[in-house]
Structures are given as structure tokens and as C-alpha cells.
Amino acid sequence: MPFRAIRASRTDAGVTTELVMLEDSDLDVGEVTVRVDYSTINYKDGLAITNASPVIRRFPMIPGIDLAGVVEASDSAEFAAGDAVVLNGWGLSQTHDGGFAQKARVPADWLIKLPAGIDTRHAAAIGTAGYTAMLSVLALEHGGVTPDKGDVLVTGASGGVGSVAIALLAQLGYRVIASTGRPEEAEYLTALGAAEIIDRATLSQQGAPIATERWAGAIDTVGSHTLANVLAQTRYGGVVANCGLAQGVDLPGSVLPFILRGVTLAGIDSVNAPKAKRIEAWTRLASDLDLGKLDAMVTTVGLEEAPDVARSILSGSIRGRTVVDVNR
């Protein structure tokens, strides 16, 4: 039966997208066929659609680094028809067709069965951004950053990772400081659980190699000068989890926070994280994320709208999470 998909192609004018009708014979390789309910839009999807970064390594390609849906057919003993599943990262939208389609065929090892309490819409709303936020929280916990140790900073606070990170941290009892360049989102961030909001401009310029201690930990989605300043202001023994590069890929700081304060910089990779870590993250999301707060940060669009929204996310104008209803 034909299904709809967004397909990206490379032309002399750059990367273009179009809505196409495909057949099962067009599906990619894999042991499991998924009837996709929802995808979502992340910063990486914006990079892929605009070709601002060479995310897509094979053309034509169905973009979308996330998908959530129900197993239609399976050659794997691990999955059966009717199982609700989610897939984040791996090769989606890079070397393997992604989630901007009504159907996908994928390797069984890439899939996670949804934990009780999370349906496919909430799974897409969480998406790579929310799953990355949970990996970041786990890194803080692993480093010993507990709520009694002090404040936790979240940069890029109004974005997808930042929004979910604030909701998770607040639910777990942390006092959260939100850094944003969008002061008009103060009410939104406070509703998610932020106790204090600071202007990102206070962190985005070159600063001192080490500065007054302010927070016990941080989740940084920005990189560059922002990350260097976050490290410089982290308390003794603190942990900073970095998972993004919105400001840049450079790190123009010094070793002083590491050798004078014992600060840990934890790198967060959501694309190739092993399955056991993914299951841990999704299990914790089911228990620690307030789905009411998640719903408050979600906007839903149809499949045909997805490329335009993906382009917009790079400008920082998208708040929270955008779910793609592939059947709309």
C-alpha cells in the first residue's frame, strides 16, 4: 500500500525536499517494519534539511532523526507486530531513511520498546532532544551532583533539550537556572520549573579563564564561549554535561576549572549511545518526566509542514518541542 514521505534530494541549487508517495519496495533495509505515527523536529533535523552541516550522507534520503510508532512486521524475535516502539538517532537521516514518513524499515537493534506510561505521541514529543536531556541528567547524577549540592544551569533553555532538562531537573528537586536569549519566554520557563532566568549574553562573550563559583552543575546545549564561561563558573567538584553546539564547535577556555576545581566536562552522545543506556534513559523518562509539562511545550505540525519548521529551528525561533504527525 502506498505511503507518504518527505524526501530530500541534492541538486545544483542545494538540498531540496518534496512530498512523495512510496511503496513498500522503496523501504530501507532492516528486520522490523514500523507503521510510523509521529516524528519530531530537532536542531539536527534543521542542519540536515538546510545542508548547513553534512548530516545527510546519501541522497535521496527521508529525513527525520526520530520516529515513534507500532511494529507492522518483524523478522526479529525481540519485536512482534503491535509493539509500540521508538527510535532516536543511529543512522536515521544520515545513512538510513528517517522518520518523516508513514512507514519505515529499520534494524531491530536500533529500536526501543516504549515503557509503560509513554505512548507514541509522547515518545515523539520527547524525541532525541528529551532523550538527550535525560542522558545529561544521568551524567550529572553519575558525577555526584545532587540537589543539595547547589543550583544547576541549563543553557539554550527554551529549546527542546533545555525545556525537557528544566522539567526533569525541577521534578527531581534541583533548583534550576535557565539561560536564554529570549526574555519573552520567562513565563514559559518558570512554568517548566526554572527558579531563576539569566540572559545568555552574560555567558556568550569571552570571559575570564576561571571566575566566581555559581552552580554545582550544568547542561549546556550551546558550546563555544558559553561553555567556556559555564565551566569557569562551576563550583568545586561540579559536572557540566555538554550536548550541543548552537554557538559553535570551539571551546575557547582554559584548563583551570579542571585542575583548580576538579570540574568534570561530560560529553553526551545520543546518536550512538548503546542500547542499555537508551533503555535506562527511557525508563527514567517514564518515571521522572511530568507529561503535563511535556504537553505544554509541544506544537504539532503535519508531514508537509516539517521541512519549513526544520529550517526555522536553526534561527532559535522554535520554542520547546515540535511533533510531526505523519498522518496529517
Side-chain angles (χ1 to χ4, degrees), residues 167-183:
L168 284 168
L169 290 165
Q171 184 74 12
L172 292 167
Y174 292 88
R175 184 179 185 276
V176 184
I177 301 174
S179 167
T180 181
R182 302 168 66 187

Side-chain angles (χ1 to χ4, degrees), residues 25-191:
S25 58
D26 297 308
L27 290 169
D28 220 329
V29 296
E31 299 82 34
V32 183
T33 301
V34 179
R35 187 175 69 252
V36 181
D37 294 331
Y38 302 98
S39 186
T40 184
I41 297 173
N42 303 279
Y43 191 83
K44 189 174 180 180
D45 293 307
L47 295 175
I49 290 289
T50 62
N51 203 35
S53 180
V55 172
I56 299 177
R57 300 173 188 170
R58 175 194 100 188
F59 291 92
M61 172 66 70
I62 297 172
I65 66 170
D66 291 316
L67 65 82
V70 176
V71 172
E72 182 175 274
S74 173
D75 294 326
S76 166
E78 188 178 356
F79 298 97
D83 287 343
V85 293
V86 65
L87 199 167
N88 309 112
W90 289 118
L92 289 194
S93 193
Q94 293 183 281
T95 58
H96 198 99
D97 283 333
F100 289 178
Q102 292 176 305
K103 193 177 287 190
R105 185 177 293 138
V106 296
D109 286 345
W110 291 2
L111 289 169
I112 299 291
K113 288 183 183 178
L114 286 181
I118 296 182
D119 59 21
T120 55
R121 185 178 184 278
H122 283 127
I126 292 167
T128 288
Y131 146 67
T132 301
M134 189 72 248
L135 291 177
S136 300
V137 172
L138 291 172
L140 297 185
E141 292 179 344
H142 179 74
V145 179
T146 51
D148 61 293
K149 295 292 180 64
D151 297 344
V152 172
L153 173 74
V154 176
T155 66
S158 61
V161 176
S163 294
V164 178
I166 291 169
L168 284 168
L169 290 165
Q171 184 74 12
L172 292 167
Y174 292 88
R175 184 179 185 276
V176 184
I177 301 174
S179 167
T180 181
R182 302 168 66 187
E184 69 274 14
E185 301 293 1
E187 184 176 349
Y188 165 77
L189 296 172
T190 301

